[in-house]
Amino acid sequence: MDPRSIRRLLKTVVWRQKGLPCSFPCEFLQHFSSGAEGWTEHLSWARGGGLVHKLAAIDPSTTVEIGAIIHEHVQVGPHSHIGSGSVVGPRVTIGSHSTLWYNVSLQNSCIGNHCAIHCGVCIGQDGFGFFVDDQGNMIKKPQAWTLSVFSFLCSWRDTVIGDHTKIDNQVQIGHNVVIGHSCMICGQAGLGGSSTIGDFVVLGGKCGVADHISIVSKVRIAAKSGVTRNITKPGDYAGFPAVPAAEWRRSMARFCKLGQGTRAHLGMVD
């Protein structure tokens, strides 16, 4: 079934459950239930009206709002909330008291307890991995691993985000990344694949961490910095490549003085 038909179906279900007049023909629903392969196994969830697969294990106290879709073998703990428009892919696990707001997409992931995932977030999608073969062809590299949003460690193949870690908008986290607990990752930051971030780490806006980089706990990276080497000592870092913040400030001071001397030598006046 094409996306337009799915949206039409969901709108029809919403209108009928609210008792509103519906201009869509009943034959459409009959065609959907009888001829749409794979969708006949989804039932309307009593607590919210969303569509839940028969093979999903959903706690009765969980709310699945109208327009949300939960696929097969999904497990959701008690008192969680799935917002309208959200899609939970096969074999995803969601803990208790977690909230998915509107239009969230989950695949290949495991969400812990008391997590809040805001509108429009996509987690667990296929990674950006390619290689060039001997003939010069661009080949897609499989990226089918699991993303876990909780504190205990998984195997190196999984992407793990620890408890109480806050992630701002437009943040890119690569595959096989491990992030500790109580970290703060500000907007437009990017973490390369297989990088490891300790606990209580702060990444400023637009800063980047190269792949396979390790950062110890209690490190703060200034905005627009680039981490190209492992950071083994706690503290503040800045610049590109990122160095201890005090060293970066001294370098900038010398650079500014050099610029002033050059302008004076050329007779330029500010």
Side-chain angles (χ1 to χ4, degrees), residues 112-161:
N113 303 326
H114 299 278
C115 292
I117 301 177
H118 289 273
C119 300
V121 173
C122 297
I123 294 178
Q125 278 66 38
D126 189 29
F128 188 78
F130 299 88
F131 67 94
V132 179
D133 63 10
D134 296 336
Q135 289 73 39
N137 299 315
M138 187 72 72
I139 306 299
K140 184 75 174 74
K141 183 184 297 184
Q143 302 279 326
W145 306 120
T146 300
L147 187 146
S148 302
V149 185
F150 49 172
S151 59
F152 63 87
L153 293 179
C154 299
S155 67
W156 69 272
R157 295 177 177 176
D158 293 341
T159 298
V160 180
I161 300 174

mmCIF file of all heavy atoms in Angstrom, residues 112-161:
data_model
loop_
_atom_site.group_PDB
_atom_site.id
_atom_site.type_symbol
_atom_site.label_atom_id
_atom_site.label_comp_id
_atom_site.label_asym_id
_atom_site.label_seq_id
_atom_site.Cartn_x
_atom_site.Cartn_y
_atom_site.Cartn_z
ATOM 1 N N GLY A 112 15.433 2.770 26.973
ATOM 2 C CA GLY A 112 15.329 2.419 28.380
ATOM 3 C C GLY A 112 14.131 3.038 29.070
ATOM 4 O O GLY A 112 13.163 3.468 28.438
ATOM 5 N N ASN A 113 14.202 3.104 30.400
ATOM 6 C CA ASN A 113 13.116 3.645 31.209
ATOM 7 C C ASN A 113 13.223 5.163 31.338
ATOM 8 O O ASN A 113 14.316 5.727 31.308
ATOM 9 C CB ASN A 113 13.141 3.016 32.606
ATOM 10 C CG ASN A 113 13.052 1.505 32.557
ATOM 11 O OD1 ASN A 113 12.381 0.939 31.692
ATOM 12 N ND2 ASN A 113 13.735 0.836 33.470
ATOM 13 N N HIS A 114 12.077 5.815 31.465
ATOM 14 C CA HIS A 114 12.004 7.254 31.731
ATOM 15 C C HIS A 114 12.722 8.073 30.651
ATOM 16 O O HIS A 114 13.344 9.095 30.949
ATOM 17 C CB HIS A 114 12.584 7.579 33.106
ATOM 18 C CG HIS A 114 11.864 6.907 34.238
ATOM 19 N ND1 HIS A 114 10.698 7.402 34.783
ATOM 20 C CD2 HIS A 114 12.140 5.756 34.911
ATOM 21 C CE1 HIS A 114 10.294 6.598 35.754
ATOM 22 N NE2 HIS A 114 11.145 5.592 35.846
ATOM 23 N N CYS A 115 12.658 7.629 29.410
ATOM 24 C CA CYS A 115 13.259 8.379 28.306
ATOM 25 C C CYS A 115 12.201 9.256 27.644
ATOM 26 O O CYS A 115 11.032 8.880 27.563
ATOM 27 C CB CYS A 115 13.860 7.431 27.269
ATOM 28 S SG CYS A 115 15.304 6.521 27.855
ATOM 29 N N ALA A 116 12.621 10.420 27.177
ATOM 30 C CA ALA A 116 11.739 11.323 26.435
ATOM 31 C C ALA A 116 12.358 11.573 25.068
ATOM 32 O O ALA A 116 13.460 12.112 24.970
ATOM 33 C CB ALA A 116 11.546 12.634 27.180
ATOM 34 N N ILE A 117 11.657 11.167 24.017
ATOM 35 C CA ILE A 117 12.133 11.344 22.647
ATOM 36 C C ILE A 117 11.176 12.305 21.961
ATOM 37 O O ILE A 117 9.990 12.008 21.795
ATOM 38 C CB ILE A 117 12.205 9.999 21.914
ATOM 39 C CG1 ILE A 117 13.150 9.057 22.675
ATOM 40 C CG2 ILE A 117 12.677 10.187 20.485
ATOM 41 C CD1 ILE A 117 13.246 7.678 22.083
ATOM 42 N N HIS A 118 11.685 13.451 21.554
ATOM 43 C CA HIS A 118 10.821 14.536 21.102
ATOM 44 C C HIS A 118 10.435 14.397 19.630
ATOM 45 O O HIS A 118 10.900 13.501 18.923
ATOM 46 C CB HIS A 118 11.503 15.875 21.373
ATOM 47 C CG HIS A 118 11.553 16.223 22.830
ATOM 48 N ND1 HIS A 118 10.540 16.879 23.475
ATOM 49 C CD2 HIS A 118 12.489 15.957 23.782
ATOM 50 C CE1 HIS A 118 10.841 17.033 24.751
ATOM 51 N NE2 HIS A 118 12.024 16.482 24.966
ATOM 52 N N CYS A 119 9.588 15.314 19.197
ATOM 53 C CA CYS A 119 8.953 15.225 17.882
ATOM 54 C C CYS A 119 9.981 15.135 16.752
ATOM 55 O O CYS A 119 10.977 15.857 16.742
ATOM 56 C CB CYS A 119 8.065 16.443 17.650
ATOM 57 S SG CYS A 119 6.745 16.641 18.865
ATOM 58 N N GLY A 120 9.700 14.249 15.810
ATOM 59 C CA GLY A 120 10.497 14.166 14.597
ATOM 60 C C GLY A 120 11.825 13.463 14.720
ATOM 61 O O GLY A 120 12.596 13.435 13.754
ATOM 62 N N VAL A 121 12.124 12.869 15.867
ATOM 63 C CA VAL A 121 13.416 12.200 16.047
ATOM 64 C C VAL A 121 13.420 10.858 15.326
ATOM 65 O O VAL A 121 12.445 10.107 15.374
ATOM 66 C CB VAL A 121 13.711 12.002 17.545
ATOM 67 C CG1 VAL A 121 14.956 11.149 17.740
ATOM 68 C CG2 VAL A 121 13.881 13.346 18.231
ATOM 69 N N CYS A 122 14.531 10.566 14.648
ATOM 70 C CA CYS A 122 14.718 9.276 13.976
ATOM 71 C C CYS A 122 15.901 8.562 14.617
ATOM 72 O O CYS A 122 17.003 9.109 14.668
ATOM 73 C CB CYS A 122 14.971 9.471 12.487
ATOM 74 S SG CYS A 122 13.590 10.226 11.596
ATOM 75 N N ILE A 123 15.678 7.351 15.096
ATOM 76 C CA ILE A 123 16.713 6.584 15.786
ATOM 77 C C ILE A 123 16.821 5.202 15.154
ATOM 78 O O ILE A 123 15.810 4.540 14.908
ATOM 79 C CB ILE A 123 16.400 6.450 17.289
ATOM 80 C CG1 ILE A 123 16.453 7.821 17.973
ATOM 81 C CG2 ILE A 123 17.361 5.491 17.977
ATOM 82 C CD1 ILE A 123 16.105 7.782 19.442
ATOM 83 N N GLY A 124 18.060 4.788 14.902
ATOM 84 C CA GLY A 124 18.310 3.423 14.459
ATOM 85 C C GLY A 124 18.221 3.197 12.969
ATOM 86 O O GLY A 124 18.183 2.046 12.522
ATOM 87 N N GLN A 125 18.223 4.272 12.175
ATOM 88 C CA GLN A 125 18.164 4.091 10.727
ATOM 89 C C GLN A 125 19.501 3.578 10.192
ATOM 90 O O GLN A 125 20.515 3.581 10.878
ATOM 91 C CB GLN A 125 17.798 5.417 10.041
ATOM 92 C CG GLN A 125 16.312 5.713 10.023
ATOM 93 C CD GLN A 125 15.742 5.956 11.394
ATOM 94 O OE1 GLN A 125 16.377 6.574 12.229
ATOM 95 N NE2 GLN A 125 14.549 5.467 11.653
ATOM 96 N N ASP A 126 19.468 3.163 8.945
ATOM 97 C CA ASP A 126 20.660 2.627 8.299
ATOM 98 C C ASP A 126 21.773 3.667 8.293
ATOM 99 O O ASP A 126 21.534 4.847 8.034
ATOM 100 C CB ASP A 126 20.314 2.215 6.868
ATOM 101 C CG ASP A 126 21.444 1.459 6.212
ATOM 102 O OD1 ASP A 126 22.202 0.787 6.933
ATOM 103 O OD2 ASP A 126 21.570 1.541 4.981
ATOM 104 N N GLY A 127 22.989 3.235 8.580
ATOM 105 C CA GLY A 127 24.114 4.155 8.685
ATOM 106 C C GLY A 127 24.666 4.581 7.335
ATOM 107 O O GLY A 127 24.383 3.993 6.288
ATOM 108 N N PHE A 128 25.490 5.626 7.377
ATOM 109 C CA PHE A 128 26.115 6.178 6.176
ATOM 110 C C PHE A 128 27.454 5.477 5.986
ATOM 111 O O PHE A 128 28.502 5.965 6.403
ATOM 112 C CB PHE A 128 26.300 7.689 6.337
ATOM 113 C CG PHE A 128 26.754 8.386 5.083
ATOM 114 C CD1 PHE A 128 25.857 8.666 4.073
ATOM 115 C CD2 PHE A 128 28.074 8.760 4.925
ATOM 116 C CE1 PHE A 128 26.270 9.319 2.922
ATOM 117 C CE2 PHE A 128 28.495 9.412 3.779
ATOM 118 C CZ PHE A 128 27.587 9.690 2.775
ATOM 119 N N GLY A 129 27.419 4.298 5.374
ATOM 120 C CA GLY A 129 28.634 3.515 5.198
ATOM 121 C C GLY A 129 28.773 3.011 3.772
ATOM 122 O O GLY A 129 27.890 2.307 3.268
ATOM 123 N N PHE A 130 29.881 3.360 3.113
ATOM 124 C CA PHE A 130 30.128 2.951 1.734
ATOM 125 C C PHE A 130 31.616 2.626 1.561
ATOM 126 O O PHE A 130 32.459 3.077 2.337
ATOM 127 C CB PHE A 130 29.745 4.069 0.750
ATOM 128 C CG PHE A 130 28.302 4.462 0.794
ATOM 129 C CD1 PHE A 130 27.861 5.438 1.682
ATOM 130 C CD2 PHE A 130 27.375 3.860 -0.040
ATOM 131 C CE1 PHE A 130 26.532 5.804 1.735
ATOM 132 C CE2 PHE A 130 26.039 4.227 0.006
ATOM 133 C CZ PHE A 130 25.620 5.193 0.896
ATOM 134 N N PHE A 131 31.927 1.838 0.541
ATOM 135 C CA PHE A 131 33.318 1.618 0.164
ATOM 136 C C PHE A 131 33.387 1.437 -1.350
ATOM 137 O O PHE A 131 32.386 1.131 -2.001
ATOM 138 C CB PHE A 131 33.907 0.403 0.886
ATOM 139 C CG PHE A 131 33.310 -0.916 0.471
ATOM 140 C CD1 PHE A 131 33.898 -1.682 -0.527
ATOM 141 C CD2 PHE A 131 32.167 -1.399 1.091
ATOM 142 C CE1 PHE A 131 33.353 -2.893 -0.905
ATOM 143 C CE2 PHE A 131 31.612 -2.614 0.718
ATOM 144 C CZ PHE A 131 32.203 -3.362 -0.281
ATOM 145 N N VAL A 132 34.562 1.656 -1.903
ATOM 146 C CA VAL A 132 34.771 1.548 -3.343
ATOM 147 C C VAL A 132 35.461 0.222 -3.635
ATOM 148 O O VAL A 132 36.523 -0.076 -3.061
ATOM 149 C CB VAL A 132 35.614 2.726 -3.865
ATOM 150 C CG1 VAL A 132 35.847 2.593 -5.361
ATOM 151 C CG2 VAL A 132 34.928 4.051 -3.543
ATOM 152 N N ASP A 133 34.863 -0.586 -4.510
ATOM 153 C CA ASP A 133 35.449 -1.887 -4.823
ATOM 154 C C ASP A 133 36.568 -1.743 -5.857
ATOM 155 O O ASP A 133 36.928 -0.629 -6.269
ATOM 156 C CB ASP A 133 34.371 -2.858 -5.296
ATOM 157 C CG ASP A 133 33.704 -2.418 -6.592
ATOM 158 O OD1 ASP A 133 34.198 -1.461 -7.232
ATOM 159 O OD2 ASP A 133 32.680 -3.025 -6.971
ATOM 160 N N ASP A 134 37.124 -2.876 -6.266
ATOM 161 C CA ASP A 134 38.257 -2.863 -7.190
ATOM 162 C C ASP A 134 37.898 -2.284 -8.555
ATOM 163 O O ASP A 134 38.773 -1.808 -9.286
ATOM 164 C CB ASP A 134 38.795 -4.289 -7.369
ATOM 165 C CG ASP A 134 39.365 -4.847 -6.078
ATOM 166 O OD1 ASP A 134 39.751 -4.030 -5.213
ATOM 167 O OD2 ASP A 134 39.399 -6.086 -5.921
ATOM 168 N N GLN A 135 36.621 -2.339 -8.904
ATOM 169 C CA GLN A 135 36.188 -1.791 -10.190
ATOM 170 C C GLN A 135 35.791 -0.320 -10.102
ATOM 171 O O GLN A 135 35.350 0.265 -11.083
ATOM 172 C CB GLN A 135 35.003 -2.601 -10.745
ATOM 173 C CG GLN A 135 35.365 -3.994 -11.241
ATOM 174 C CD GLN A 135 35.661 -4.953 -10.103
ATOM 175 O OE1 GLN A 135 34.991 -4.906 -9.071
ATOM 176 N NE2 GLN A 135 36.647 -5.817 -10.290
ATOM 177 N N GLY A 136 35.930 0.271 -8.916
ATOM 178 C CA GLY A 136 35.582 1.675 -8.751
ATOM 179 C C GLY A 136 34.118 1.933 -8.483
ATOM 180 O O GLY A 136 33.671 3.085 -8.542
ATOM 181 N N ASN A 137 33.364 0.879 -8.171
ATOM 182 C CA ASN A 137 31.941 1.047 -7.887
ATOM 183 C C ASN A 137 31.727 1.381 -6.412
ATOM 184 O O ASN A 137 32.414 0.849 -5.534
ATOM 185 C CB ASN A 137 31.174 -0.232 -8.238
ATOM 186 C CG ASN A 137 31.295 -0.583 -9.703
ATOM 187 O OD1 ASN A 137 31.166 0.283 -10.568
ATOM 188 N ND2 ASN A 137 31.550 -1.856 -10.001
ATOM 189 N N MET A 138 30.768 2.260 -6.158
ATOM 190 C CA MET A 138 30.416 2.611 -4.789
ATOM 191 C C MET A 138 29.476 1.545 -4.235
ATOM 192 O O MET A 138 28.371 1.354 -4.737
ATOM 193 C CB MET A 138 29.741 3.977 -4.747
ATOM 194 C CG MET A 138 29.496 4.504 -3.352
ATOM 195 S SD MET A 138 30.996 5.037 -2.514
ATOM 196 C CE MET A 138 31.363 6.546 -3.420
ATOM 197 N N ILE A 139 29.916 0.843 -3.187
ATOM 198 C CA ILE A 139 29.165 -0.274 -2.626
ATOM 199 C C ILE A 139 28.675 0.106 -1.239
ATOM 200 O O ILE A 139 29.417 0.661 -0.430
ATOM 201 C CB ILE A 139 30.028 -1.549 -2.546
ATOM 202 C CG1 ILE A 139 30.631 -1.870 -3.917
ATOM 203 C CG2 ILE A 139 29.201 -2.717 -2.022
ATOM 204 C CD1 ILE A 139 29.611 -2.139 -4.989
ATOM 205 N N LYS A 140 27.402 -0.211 -0.973
ATOM 206 C CA LYS A 140 26.827 0.057 0.346
ATOM 207 C C LYS A 140 27.357 -0.941 1.356
ATOM 208 O O LYS A 140 27.352 -2.145 1.128
ATOM 209 C CB LYS A 140 25.298 -0.037 0.282
ATOM 210 C CG LYS A 140 24.598 0.320 1.580
ATOM 211 C CD LYS A 140 24.615 1.812 1.812
ATOM 212 C CE LYS A 140 23.785 2.185 3.031
ATOM 213 N NZ LYS A 140 24.435 1.829 4.296
ATOM 214 N N LYS A 141 27.830 -0.437 2.475
ATOM 215 C CA LYS A 141 28.321 -1.291 3.551
ATOM 216 C C LYS A 141 27.187 -1.541 4.548
ATOM 217 O O LYS A 141 26.556 -0.593 5.013
ATOM 218 C CB LYS A 141 29.489 -0.623 4.265
ATOM 219 C CG LYS A 141 30.125 -1.469 5.361
ATOM 220 C CD LYS A 141 31.217 -0.697 6.074
ATOM 221 C CE LYS A 141 32.348 -0.343 5.139
ATOM 222 N NZ LYS A 141 33.458 0.331 5.860
ATOM 223 N N PRO A 142 26.903 -2.801 4.879
ATOM 224 C CA PRO A 142 25.802 -3.080 5.824
ATOM 225 C C PRO A 142 26.034 -2.387 7.161
ATOM 226 O O PRO A 142 27.145 -2.358 7.679
ATOM 227 C CB PRO A 142 25.839 -4.606 5.967
ATOM 228 C CG PRO A 142 26.537 -5.087 4.737
ATOM 229 C CD PRO A 142 27.537 -4.018 4.382
ATOM 230 N N GLN A 143 24.952 -1.828 7.719
ATOM 231 C CA GLN A 143 25.032 -1.097 8.982
ATOM 232 C C GLN A 143 23.922 -1.558 9.923
ATOM 233 O O GLN A 143 23.292 -0.760 10.594
ATOM 234 C CB GLN A 143 24.886 0.404 8.727
ATOM 235 C CG GLN A 143 25.910 0.989 7.789
ATOM 236 C CD GLN A 143 27.222 1.271 8.467
ATOM 237 O OE1 GLN A 143 27.274 1.643 9.634
ATOM 238 N NE2 GLN A 143 28.307 1.097 7.747
ATOM 239 N N ALA A 144 23.649 -2.829 9.963
ATOM 240 C CA ALA A 144 22.496 -3.340 10.714
ATOM 241 C C ALA A 144 22.886 -3.712 12.135
ATOM 242 O O ALA A 144 23.076 -4.873 12.461
ATOM 243 C CB ALA A 144 21.898 -4.545 9.995
ATOM 244 N N TRP A 145 23.036 -2.708 13.003
ATOM 245 C CA TRP A 145 23.310 -2.976 14.408
ATOM 246 C C TRP A 145 22.230 -2.345 15.264
ATOM 247 O O TRP A 145 21.227 -1.853 14.769
ATOM 248 C CB TRP A 145 24.701 -2.461 14.789
ATOM 249 C CG TRP A 145 25.777 -2.999 13.910
ATOM 250 C CD1 TRP A 145 26.629 -2.283 13.124
ATOM 251 C CD2 TRP A 145 26.109 -4.374 13.674
ATOM 252 N NE1 TRP A 145 27.458 -3.106 12.425
ATOM 253 C CE2 TRP A 145 27.169 -4.395 12.743
ATOM 254 C CE3 TRP A 145 25.614 -5.577 14.155
ATOM 255 C CZ2 TRP A 145 27.744 -5.579 12.297
ATOM 256 C CZ3 TRP A 145 26.188 -6.747 13.704
ATOM 257 C CH2 TRP A 145 27.235 -6.744 12.798
ATOM 258 N N THR A 146 22.444 -2.319 16.554
ATOM 259 C CA THR A 146 21.418 -1.857 17.484
ATOM 260 C C THR A 146 21.855 -0.586 18.176
ATOM 261 O O THR A 146 23.016 -0.433 18.532
ATOM 262 C CB THR A 146 21.140 -2.949 18.547
ATOM 263 O OG1 THR A 146 20.700 -4.132 17.891
ATOM 264 C CG2 THR A 146 20.073 -2.488 19.526
ATOM 265 N N LEU A 147 20.910 0.333 18.379
ATOM 266 C CA LEU A 147 21.168 1.524 19.173
ATOM 267 C C LEU A 147 20.436 1.376 20.493
ATOM 268 O O LEU A 147 19.239 1.116 20.518
ATOM 269 C CB LEU A 147 20.689 2.782 18.446
ATOM 270 C CG LEU A 147 21.066 4.093 19.143
ATOM 271 C CD1 LEU A 147 21.328 5.169 18.100
ATOM 272 C CD2 LEU A 147 20.000 4.558 20.102
ATOM 273 N N SER A 148 21.175 1.537 21.595
ATOM 274 C CA SER A 148 20.591 1.372 22.920
ATOM 275 C C SER A 148 20.649 2.701 23.662
ATOM 276 O O SER A 148 21.707 3.321 23.741
ATOM 277 C CB SER A 148 21.349 0.301 23.717
ATOM 278 O OG SER A 148 21.333 -0.931 23.019
ATOM 279 N N VAL A 149 19.514 3.124 24.195
ATOM 280 C CA VAL A 149 19.443 4.376 24.940
ATOM 281 C C VAL A 149 19.218 4.027 26.404
ATOM 282 O O VAL A 149 18.112 4.017 26.907
ATOM 283 C CB VAL A 149 18.316 5.277 24.403
ATOM 284 C CG1 VAL A 149 18.327 6.627 25.098
ATOM 285 C CG2 VAL A 149 18.461 5.468 22.903
ATOM 286 N N PHE A 150 20.291 3.678 27.086
ATOM 287 C CA PHE A 150 20.281 3.391 28.511
ATOM 288 C C PHE A 150 21.714 3.238 28.972
ATOM 289 O O PHE A 150 22.651 3.433 28.202
ATOM 290 C CB PHE A 150 19.440 2.166 28.858
ATOM 291 C CG PHE A 150 19.695 0.928 28.046
ATOM 292 C CD1 PHE A 150 19.101 -0.261 28.396
ATOM 293 C CD2 PHE A 150 20.514 0.942 26.929
ATOM 294 C CE1 PHE A 150 19.323 -1.415 27.657
ATOM 295 C CE2 PHE A 150 20.736 -0.201 26.189
ATOM 296 C CZ PHE A 150 20.137 -1.383 26.558
ATOM 297 N N SER A 151 21.938 2.890 30.249
ATOM 298 C CA SER A 151 23.264 3.074 30.818
ATOM 299 C C SER A 151 24.182 1.872 30.706
ATOM 300 O O SER A 151 25.385 2.023 30.688
ATOM 301 C CB SER A 151 23.144 3.455 32.297
ATOM 302 O OG SER A 151 22.458 2.452 33.003
ATOM 303 N N PHE A 152 23.661 0.650 30.666
ATOM 304 C CA PHE A 152 24.602 -0.463 30.698
ATOM 305 C C PHE A 152 25.234 -0.674 29.331
ATOM 306 O O PHE A 152 24.662 -0.364 28.305
ATOM 307 C CB PHE A 152 23.922 -1.751 31.175
ATOM 308 C CG PHE A 152 22.821 -2.251 30.281
ATOM 309 C CD1 PHE A 152 23.110 -3.080 29.217
ATOM 310 C CD2 PHE A 152 21.511 -1.898 30.509
ATOM 311 C CE1 PHE A 152 22.109 -3.557 28.398
ATOM 312 C CE2 PHE A 152 20.506 -2.370 29.687
ATOM 313 C CZ PHE A 152 20.806 -3.200 28.635
ATOM 314 N N LEU A 153 26.434 -1.207 29.342
ATOM 315 C CA LEU A 153 27.199 -1.343 28.113
ATOM 316 C C LEU A 153 26.749 -2.558 27.318
ATOM 317 O O LEU A 153 26.396 -3.592 27.875
ATOM 318 C CB LEU A 153 28.693 -1.483 28.437
ATOM 319 C CG LEU A 153 29.345 -0.246 29.041
ATOM 320 C CD1 LEU A 153 30.806 -0.538 29.337
ATOM 321 C CD2 LEU A 153 29.231 0.939 28.106
ATOM 322 N N CYS A 154 26.806 -2.414 26.007
ATOM 323 C CA CYS A 154 26.520 -3.524 25.110
ATOM 324 C C CYS A 154 27.802 -3.872 24.362
ATOM 325 O O CYS A 154 28.870 -3.373 24.672
ATOM 326 C CB CYS A 154 25.421 -3.138 24.124
ATOM 327 S SG CYS A 154 23.864 -2.705 24.916
ATOM 328 N N SER A 155 27.689 -4.730 23.373
ATOM 329 C CA SER A 155 28.873 -5.090 22.607
ATOM 330 C C SER A 155 29.340 -3.899 21.783
ATOM 331 O O SER A 155 28.625 -2.927 21.595
ATOM 332 C CB SER A 155 28.539 -6.259 21.673
ATOM 333 O OG SER A 155 27.629 -5.842 20.675
ATOM 334 N N TRP A 156 30.556 -3.989 21.256
ATOM 335 C CA TRP A 156 31.130 -2.872 20.517
ATOM 336 C C TRP A 156 30.333 -2.539 19.268
ATOM 337 O O TRP A 156 30.446 -1.447 18.722
ATOM 338 C CB TRP A 156 32.564 -3.196 20.134
ATOM 339 C CG TRP A 156 32.675 -4.276 19.107
ATOM 340 C CD1 TRP A 156 32.744 -5.613 19.321
ATOM 341 C CD2 TRP A 156 32.717 -4.103 17.687
ATOM 342 N NE1 TRP A 156 32.821 -6.286 18.137
ATOM 343 C CE2 TRP A 156 32.815 -5.390 17.116
ATOM 344 C CE3 TRP A 156 32.683 -2.992 16.853
ATOM 345 C CZ2 TRP A 156 32.877 -5.594 15.747
ATOM 346 C CZ3 TRP A 156 32.750 -3.195 15.482
ATOM 347 C CH2 TRP A 156 32.847 -4.486 14.946
ATOM 348 N N ARG A 157 29.535 -3.450 18.810
ATOM 349 C CA ARG A 157 28.777 -3.218 17.587
ATOM 350 C C ARG A 157 27.562 -2.318 17.821
ATOM 351 O O ARG A 157 26.971 -1.827 16.874
ATOM 352 C CB ARG A 157 28.306 -4.553 17.014
ATOM 353 C CG ARG A 157 29.442 -5.454 16.548
ATOM 354 C CD ARG A 157 28.907 -6.782 16.069
ATOM 355 N NE ARG A 157 29.966 -7.625 15.550
ATOM 356 C CZ ARG A 157 29.794 -8.870 15.128
ATOM 357 N NH1 ARG A 157 28.599 -9.410 15.176
ATOM 358 N NH2 ARG A 157 30.799 -9.569 14.666
ATOM 359 N N ASP A 158 27.161 -2.127 19.046
ATOM 360 C CA ASP A 158 25.965 -1.346 19.337
ATOM 361 C C ASP A 158 26.308 0.111 19.602
ATOM 362 O O ASP A 158 27.394 0.438 20.069
ATOM 363 C CB ASP A 158 25.243 -1.911 20.567
ATOM 364 C CG ASP A 158 24.661 -3.293 20.310
ATOM 365 O OD1 ASP A 158 24.502 -3.633 19.133
ATOM 366 O OD2 ASP A 158 24.385 -4.006 21.281
ATOM 367 N N THR A 159 25.366 0.974 19.300
ATOM 368 C CA THR A 159 25.467 2.382 19.688
ATOM 369 C C THR A 159 24.727 2.550 21.007
ATOM 370 O O THR A 159 23.564 2.176 21.120
ATOM 371 C CB THR A 159 24.853 3.284 18.612
ATOM 372 O OG1 THR A 159 25.585 3.117 17.392
ATOM 373 C CG2 THR A 159 24.906 4.739 19.034
ATOM 374 N N VAL A 160 25.409 3.109 22.008
ATOM 375 C CA VAL A 160 24.858 3.180 23.360
ATOM 376 C C VAL A 160 24.839 4.631 23.825
ATOM 377 O O VAL A 160 25.836 5.345 23.684
ATOM 378 C CB VAL A 160 25.687 2.326 24.345
ATOM 379 C CG1 VAL A 160 25.109 2.414 25.750
ATOM 380 C CG2 VAL A 160 25.732 0.878 23.888
ATOM 381 N N ILE A 161 23.717 5.064 24.384
ATOM 382 C CA ILE A 161 23.586 6.397 24.964
ATOM 383 C C ILE A 161 23.188 6.222 26.421
ATOM 384 O O ILE A 161 22.165 5.605 26.722
ATOM 385 C CB ILE A 161 22.545 7.237 24.207
ATOM 386 C CG1 ILE A 161 22.964 7.381 22.740
ATOM 387 C CG2 ILE A 161 22.390 8.608 24.851
ATOM 388 C CD1 ILE A 161 21.941 8.063 21.876
#
